[in-house]
Amino acid sequence: MAKDRLLLVTMGDPSGVGPEVTVKALAAWPAEERPNVLVVGDPACLASEAMAAGLPFPAEPVTDPSVFGRGHGRIGVLAISPVPREFWASGKVQARTGRAAFEALVRATSILVAGQADGLVTAPVSKEAIVLSGTHFLGHTEYLAQESRARRAVMFFVTPSIRVALVTTHVALRKVPLLLTTDAIFETVVIVDEALRARFGVARPRIGVCGLNPHAGEHGLFGSEDERVIAPAIAAARAKGILVEGPLPADAVLPQAADGGWDAAVALYHDQGMIAAKVAGGKRAVNVTLGLPFVRASVAHGTAFDIAGRGTADPTSMGEALRLAYRMTAADGTLF
């Protein structure tokens, strides 16, 4: 039997596969196993996707999330401004759908910050479309950190075989060495350690930290950042009692993590960690944001504009994200 919770789901960009994977994943999650789920999006668009897939979508219209509340087995839809039908699953980057995706995120975030829900699962958005709509937007991680006033948000990819955190996220590769600081790496390691203990049921987490340069710099031969910036962060974390090693060659740490050698790996930039997570996890990879005052999980794929409207989108990552977010809301560990 599901425990009483309230998960929010944002439907993502209606031009992409977000609404489709949302209704498919919820239809595949038995009512007796799921908490209350409130989808923030366009009700007509969601209903259309369910009808096209031949799936039940017994969603209740909701105007007040506090009244819908925590519980189990119910699905509700909190409506955003209607999106004209011609934009649904159109497979195009458009300001109108970017505005809809951002409106859903704003509504969901306000509910979470008010303490009316336990967690958030986000379907994919187009950063380009949101920016076209007139909003400065770097990504879900950065926005949620800003709105919740988190001291630091950490992008964390979870798969059945590997967990990988990122120190830097959506920045140009040439800027990474400039953004890597001892404090940033130390804070990331601390947040990962805390989350593994509190949210993932790992009593004494073992964390491996990747080096920035080939062979972790090889004692300065390939760059000074590993010894000058990363090593002091590892030393500070170890002094705090954290079981962490590094900097180690990334091509050693990440395969070891995938084989169970580490409870989590810390990568220093986006593709260093993302490639490993997606190769190891495939369709079951989930993007989690650590360091927020609430749980947030997401699919580990994009809007997939190229297949929008075909009915072929795979809901596996969304299903994994929903279930992981639900498990993570059980602070007492009873769902692990």
Side-chain angles (χ1 to χ4, degrees):
M1 174 65 72
K3 291 183 178 293
D4 289 353
R5 304 279 194 278
L6 176 58
L7 286 185
L8 303 180
V9 179
T10 51
M11 76 172 189
D13 191 312
S15 284
V17 299
E20 180 184 346
V21 297
T22 296
V23 299
K24 284 181 174 179
L26 287 174
W29 197 3
E32 64 272 15
E33 296 178 5
R34 67 174 183 249
N36 281 359
V37 177
L38 180 59
V39 184
V40 186
D42 185 322
C45 178
L46 292 159
S48 175
E49 287 291 352
M51 184 177 297
L55 295 171
F57 188 61
E60 309 168 29
V62 174
T63 57
D64 186 344
S66 65
V67 173
F68 183 70
R70 293 170 170 86
H72 56 271
R74 296 165 64 196
I75 297 175
V77 175
L78 180 65
I80 60 169
S81 302
V83 180
R85 182 177 294 270
E86 62 265 26
F87 291 99
W88 302 351
S90 60
K92 297 177 181 178
V93 176
Q94 300 165 106
R96 180 64 187 84
T97 57
R99 186 161 65 251
F102 189 66
E103 180 186 343
L105 178 60
V106 170
R107 294 285 299 278
T109 304
S110 67
I111 296 167
L112 286 158
V113 170
Q116 295 176 339
D118 300 293
L120 170 66
V121 178
T122 55
V125 302
S126 164
K127 298 178 184 67
E128 183 181 359
I130 293 176
V131 171
L132 280 176
S133 75
T135 299
H136 176 69
F137 185 74
L138 294 176
H140 283 105
T141 303
E142 294 83 355
Y143 176 80
L144 292 167
Q146 170 188 301
E147 294 302 304
S148 66
R149 300 184 179 180
R151 79 176 191 271
R152 182 175 186 84
V154 173
M155 190 178 286
F156 190 56
F157 287 86
V158 179
T159 82
S161 60
I162 191 172
R163 303 183 186 105
V164 184
L166 307 183
V167 178
T168 65
T169 55
H170 300 115
V171 297
L173 190 56
R174 61 183 172 81
K175 294 183 179 180
V176 170
L178 303 175
L179 294 173
L180 284 176
T181 66
T182 298
D183 284 346
I185 298 164
F186 170 75
E187 289 174 3
T188 300
V189 171
V190 170
I191 289 170
V192 170
D193 180 73
E194 291 173 349
L196 289 172
R197 295 172 187 271
R199 300 292 191 184
F200 290 86
V202 183
R204 299 195 70 206
R206 297 160 299 126
I207 301 170
V209 180
C210 296
L212 175 65
N213 298 298
H215 306 174
E218 202 157 311
H219 303 292
L221 185 63
F222 304 128
S224 64
E225 294 90 351
D226 295 275
E227 290 188 341
R228 179 172 50 84
V229 177
I230 305 170
I234 306 304
R238 288 173 64 85
K240 190 178 172 66
I242 297 173
L243 300 180
V244 58
E245 299 288 342
L248 300 169
D251 60 354
V253 173
L254 295 167
Q256 289 168 359
D259 287 338
W262 305 100
D263 294 304
V266 174
L268 303 180
Y269 56 91
H270 187 276
D271 285 10
Q272 186 182 57
M274 284 284 288
I275 292 170
K278 289 192 173 183
V279 169
K283 295 176 181 179
R284 298 188 66 186
V286 177
N287 176 9
V288 174
T289 305
L290 305 181
L292 302 176
F294 47 80
V295 169
R296 181 259 173 163
S298 177
V299 295
H301 60 74
T303 52
F305 285 145
D306 57 323
I307 63 169
R310 298 182 186 178
T312 58
D314 190 325
T316 301
S317 185
M318 176 58 87
E320 293 284 334
L322 287 165
R323 288 169 172 79
L324 178 60
Y326 178 40
R327 293 197 302 272
M328 288 178 66
T329 62
D332 59 0
T334 55
L335 292 182
F336 287 98

